Amino acid sequence: MNTVYYLIMVPMVYLAVAVCLIGVIARLIALGRAPRHPHSLAIFPQRGPRFLGALGDTFGMPTVRRHQPLLWFFLLLYHLAFLVLIASHFDLFPGIRILPADSPHMIGAGAVGVVLTLALFYFLIRRFRSPIREITVPSDYLLLLLLLFLVLTGSTISWANSWNSEAGGFVITKQDFGLYLDGLARFRFEDPREVLYGSHYIVVVLHVLLANLFLILLPFSKIMHTFIALPMNRLRRGA
Amino acid sequence: MDATQKQELRRLFASRLTGAVRMYLEACTHCGTCIPACHAYASEPELRHSSVGRAENIRRLFWRHFRPQGRLAGWLNEAVELSEDWMEKVYETAYTCTGCRRCVTYCPFGIDTQQIQSIAKLLLIGAGREPQVLSMLADMSIAKGENVEATKASFTQAVQGLEEEVIARWRSEAGREAIPIDEKDADLLYVALAGKHSIIPAAAIMNAAGENWSLSYFEAVNFGAFVGNPEKTREISQRIIDEAVRLGVREVAICECGTAYRVMKFMMGELPFRVVSFVEVIARYLREGRIQIDPRKTEQRLTYHDPCQIARNGGVMEEAREILAHLTRDFVELQPNRVENWCCGGGGGLVAMGEKEFRMRSARVKAEQVRATGAEVLATACENCHTQLSDLNEHYALGMRVAFLSDLVSQALVASQ
């Protein structure tokens, strides 16, 4: 079993990151090399600078705000929380410090996970209702479930750390995760078990497995909208 | 469907896969924000009438035939193989989409369902399943371009027969024809429709403005665009481009026909002349004081329907309001209006195809929107919209008069003070 854990925690991480990076770059190159659309796809009226307008459309989602305010609220919450989540994972690396080096907490102190969980539950429940249910395909449910379990296991790790009062509230500390990630970044291929001592290590492995799957699927899924939402909004602005 | 036909349809599909269209097909997250955008869905809430519902018919083919994950695990995106049965579904959604692009203003990414439906239409043409009436009309337009010399004399004679009616609205300057044709070095080439309603008001207005203009031999309407055939669309427009170049005009004004305007303005690439809609021309004459109109001649309460291809997809919105401000003292806006205006439900070739029963059902929301204004006159600036709104007026007993903007202006022309 330890071998399986090791494969998930070390080689599969490299594989996932490589598939994600190469996949995303290859998709973007393929899209960039596809023939240019022969005519303008602009919607009028066009006000203000196109690029800034497209940035506003991409990150502010004004069309959703106007027509589906509740969805917009959760979308905004979700995307903001996801950005904080990425930052908080970078914060784990010893070389990249956003919070003080001795801080026992991740950015948001667990609130980010709660926000993401709530948003993902909303997205999932929304999919069960008509007419969204009828346009939903299996990959929509599976992606949401993957994200939901990814966030839930992440939150569980965070809660599990806080619950152990005997060890000062933290079994596997933020600094321990930092050592694990530092080992990965420096290609040391060490067994993570040597720095991650907690009894809930299985949850950590599960979390990393789901994160790996997420990274591997990203270039082949609708999450590619992360990278192409801006160019698409530029087309609507007449670029 | 045999392998050869499948291969041909796949080739046609691939020919429409620009970078933009690929993104439109790949990025949809099925959030459903676009669902209420379509007038057909708002009038008759069936998913096949929604933007995403229509797009899915093509998106599922795309996953199956153009993406590896569609071949390896098609169930993930419910990918489907090209088949006779699926083409039935494609037909059902392709020619019921008016191409109004209202859904583009709802989608957080700006996914353009009209472009996705252009694939659907091309596949149907490839399978010989497109509405034959549209293909026939497109072929007739092209044939006219090829045989223009043979029809010139009869066209000129027919146009001369309209001159009296033009003069009745506005007298011509001495020595000038009321409807000039084939005028070398004219400043403006006016492209009308095959009908006097599209020629007489425009001629009166241009004569009142002292415009140096010429009437095109060709009708503006582009059935190639309606049927979804890019080659025929280009051929039909090319006849007008060649004529404009031959005459050396500086400007081509497209009559009140939304699709003709959008095709010529945005889809024909760089042209050696300016393309304007006739609405812009009227607004310019008013701004420059070249024509005067008497608002007392339009005393009834008036509202205005923004044609999708001229307003949302063409940018001509405020020019119509400029004209309306001169035309009437009792103007009421449709709600919503401009970019958010409901489509009339007659575009995309539906009017030419007939389909009255569907057009009336799918535009209930439009009829309600118009009725809510309490207006007595409903003005618009597009032939398709005019026909559809007239049908709605009758079907829903709206009790209005549907009028072209140019007609109202030409009736209200007065001599400069």
Side-chain angles (χ1 to χ4, degrees):
Chain A
M1 203 54 164
N2 283 341
T3 310
V4 174
Y5 288 173
Y6 177 79
L7 289 173
I8 291 168
M9 292 292 283
V10 183
M12 193 181 177
V13 174
Y14 292 123
L15 177 76
V17 172
V19 170
C20 182
L21 285 177
I22 295 168
V24 168
I25 291 168
R27 285 306 305 139
L28 293 180
I29 289 173
L31 289 171
R33 289 173 67 177
R36 216 180 135 79
H37 206 76
H39 58 81
S40 168
L41 295 162
I43 288 285
F44 293 89
Q46 297 181 329
R47 297 191 187 99
R50 280 178 191 163
F51 186 73
L52 286 179
L55 270 180
D57 293 343
T58 304
F59 294 103
M61 296 173 283
T63 63
V64 187
R65 188 186 65 223
R66 207 172 305 131
H67 303 294
Q68 306 263 345
L70 188 62
L71 173 65
W72 175 80
F73 172 75
F74 279 107
L75 279 175
L76 207 66
L77 215 58
Y78 171 80
H79 285 94
L80 285 173
F82 208 92
L83 279 177
V84 178
L85 192 77
I86 292 169
S88 68
H89 279 73
F90 276 109
D91 183 49
L92 292 173
F93 285 89
I96 310 169
R97 284 291 179 207
I98 299 170
L99 290 182
D102 58 351
S103 167
H105 300 290
M106 287 187 74
I107 299 172
V112 176
V114 174
V115 168
L116 284 168
T117 307
L118 285 175
L120 285 163
F121 263 116
Y122 170 74
F123 297 149
L124 196 59
I125 290 165
R126 192 172 170 273
R127 289 226 168 266
F128 292 125
R129 292 180 55 203
S130 185
I132 309 300
R133 189 180 63 222
E134 287 90 328
I135 57 169
T136 301
V137 293
S139 66
D140 297 324
Y141 290 120
L142 290 174
L143 269 177
L144 275 179
L145 288 172
L146 175 63
L147 283 164
L148 189 61
F149 283 113
L150 182 58
V151 171
L152 283 174
T153 50
S155 295
T156 307
I157 295 165
S158 173
W159 298 327
N161 283 341
S162 312
W163 286 338
N164 192 315
S165 54
E166 281 176 23
F170 292 86
V171 181
I172 306 177
T173 65
K174 187 179 164 188
Q175 287 70 25
D176 295 336
F177 284 116
L179 287 174
Y180 161 60
L181 291 174
D182 194 49
L184 284 174
R186 293 175 194 279
F187 296 96
R188 285 203 288 261
F189 292 93
E190 294 162 344
D191 185 351
R193 205 65 180 114
E194 289 172 18
V195 289
L196 303 174
Y197 300 107
S199 56
H200 60 282
Y201 183 66
I202 175 69
V203 185
V204 179
V205 174
L206 203 58
H207 182 68
V208 174
L209 173 67
L210 294 170
N212 288 341
L213 287 175
F214 174 75
L215 290 173
I216 290 169
L217 291 174
L218 193 151
F220 308 101
S221 71
K222 286 147 198 162
I223 309 170
M224 274 301 287
H225 75 255
T226 312
F227 304 96
I228 57 180
L230 181 61
M232 284 198 290
N233 272 305
R234 288 189 68 214
L235 290 172
R236 176 165 52 187
R237 291 265 172 180
Chain B
M1 186 175 287
D2 62 35
T4 316
Q5 189 178 21
K6 240 185 229 184
Q7 191 58 29
E8 173 58 11
L9 294 184
R10 201 181 170 284
R11 187 191 65 76
L12 288 171
F13 198 132
S15 74
R16 302 299 283 182
L17 288 178
T18 60
V21 171
R22 276 184 176 274
M23 289 194 283
Y24 294 154
L25 290 169
E26 289 184 26
C28 178
T29 56
H30 297 142
C31 71
T33 307
C34 64
I35 290 175
C38 182
H39 63 277
Y41 182 87
S43 300
E44 202 174 55
E46 289 178 27
L47 211 59
R48 65 197 168 115
H49 295 326
S50 70
S51 169
V52 61
R54 294 176 199 279
E56 276 306 290
N57 284 349
I58 296 304
R59 196 168 276 125
R60 289 175 188 196
L61 289 172
F62 173 75
W63 287 116
R64 174 64 187 84
H65 292 275
F66 296 95
R67 299 291 292 134
Q69 59 266 51
R71 285 189 287 270
L72 294 170
W75 60 274
L76 277 171
N77 290 304
E78 296 181 351
V80 293
E81 187 76 37
L82 271 163
S83 67
E84 297 285 347
D85 287 349
W86 197 257
M87 291 304 283
E88 285 288 330
K89 281 178 85 81
V90 170
Y91 184 91
E92 199 176 288
T93 50
Y95 289 101
T96 54
C97 172
T98 60
C100 76
R101 300 174 81 226
R102 192 170 191 263
C103 48
V104 182
T105 70
Y106 276 59
C107 175
F109 307 134
I111 291 175
D112 192 333
T113 303
Q114 189 193 35
Q115 306 313 313
I116 298 176
Q117 291 317 303
S118 75
I119 297 173
K121 290 185 173 185
L122 200 58
L123 292 180
L124 290 162
I125 292 169
R129 285 167 173 252
E130 83 278 22
Q132 291 302 314
V133 63
L134 294 181
S135 276
M136 201 179 71
L137 288 165
D139 290 339
M140 280 167 63
S141 295
I142 293 166
K144 186 181 171 188
E146 287 164 351
N147 303 297
V148 65
E149 293 303 324
T151 56
K152 263 184 179 176
S154 58
F155 179 79
T156 307
Q157 195 183 359
V159 166
Q160 279 169 350
L162 304 176
E163 289 196 328
E164 255 183 55
E165 288 182 71
V166 176
I167 292 164
R169 293 195 191 200
W170 192 265
R171 76 207 180 298
S172 291
E173 297 297 322
R176 272 197 69 86
E177 289 175 86
I179 308 177
I181 306 174
D182 229 9
E183 289 283 318
K184 281 247 178 209
D185 298 319
D187 290 328
L188 182 150
L189 178 71
Y190 175 70
V191 193
L193 293 167
K196 66 178 188 178
H197 65 282
S198 170
I199 298 173
I200 293 167
I205 292 165
M206 287 187 282
N207 291 344
E211 184 65 80
N212 174 23
W213 70 284
S214 185
L215 176 68
S216 172
Y217 277 116
F218 303 106
E219 72 282 2
V221 63
N222 198 315
F223 291 108
F226 288 147
V227 76
N229 186 319
E231 283 81 32
K232 287 182 182 175
T233 304
R234 177 159 283 280
E235 276 183 70
I236 291 167
S237 292
Q238 194 61 47
R239 307 165 312 160
I240 300 162
I241 295 168
D242 292 344
E243 184 185 24
V245 170
R246 183 175 58 79
L247 295 177
V249 299
R250 282 183 289 181
E251 195 170 46
V252 169
I254 306 291
C255 67
E256 291 160 294
C257 175
T259 300
Y261 170 66
R262 183 153 179 251
V263 168
M264 188 61 87
K265 173 97 178 176
F266 297 103
M267 299 183 180
M268 297 309 293
E270 286 281 311
L271 296 169
F273 47 80
R274 198 166 159 253
V275 178
V276 288
S277 80
F278 196 62
V279 175
E280 291 171 280
V281 174
I282 301 173
R284 186 174 73 208
Y285 291 161
L286 286 166
R287 219 176 296 138
E288 293 172 353
R290 291 168 71 180
I291 58 168
Q292 301 272 324
I293 46 180
D294 183 356
R296 287 170 302 184
K297 293 195 177 180
T298 320
E299 284 188 331
Q300 294 163 303
R301 172 171 277 204
L302 195 150
T303 189
Y304 177 72
H305 164 78
D306 285 286
C308 302
Q309 305 303 345
I310 290 176
R312 177 165 46 243
N313 302 329
V316 181
M317 290 177 240
E318 299 316 315
E319 291 84 348
R321 269 83 193 164
E322 273 183 63
I323 298 167
L324 291 160
H326 284 83
L327 195 60
T328 178
R329 292 171 181 149
D330 192 5
F331 173 66
V332 57
E333 284 280 12
L334 286 170
Q335 297 299 337
N337 55 66
R338 295 178 171 84
V339 64
E340 292 180 358
N341 186 32
W342 284 110
C343 171
C344 69
L350 273 169
V351 162
M353 285 158 63
E355 299 288 345
K356 191 169 176 187
E357 198 260 329
F358 173 75
R359 284 194 284 119
M360 296 303 102
R361 266 195 293 125
S362 64
R364 182 183 50 78
V365 68
K366 184 75 213 178
E368 286 167 6
Q369 181 202 22
V370 170
R371 196 196 299 275
T373 62
E376 293 157 285
V377 181
L378 170 57
T380 191
C382 170
E383 177 81 8
N384 265 340
C385 299
H386 186 278
T387 307
Q388 168 74 354
L389 293 170
S390 300
D391 288 346
L392 286 175
N393 188 29
E394 190 187 313
H395 183 83
Y396 288 97
L398 299 175
M400 292 179 161
R401 178 163 71 94
V402 182
F404 284 105
L405 204 50
S406 65
D407 189 42
L408 293 172
V409 170
S410 71
Q411 301 277 10
L413 284 169
V414 287
S416 299
Q417 300 298 309

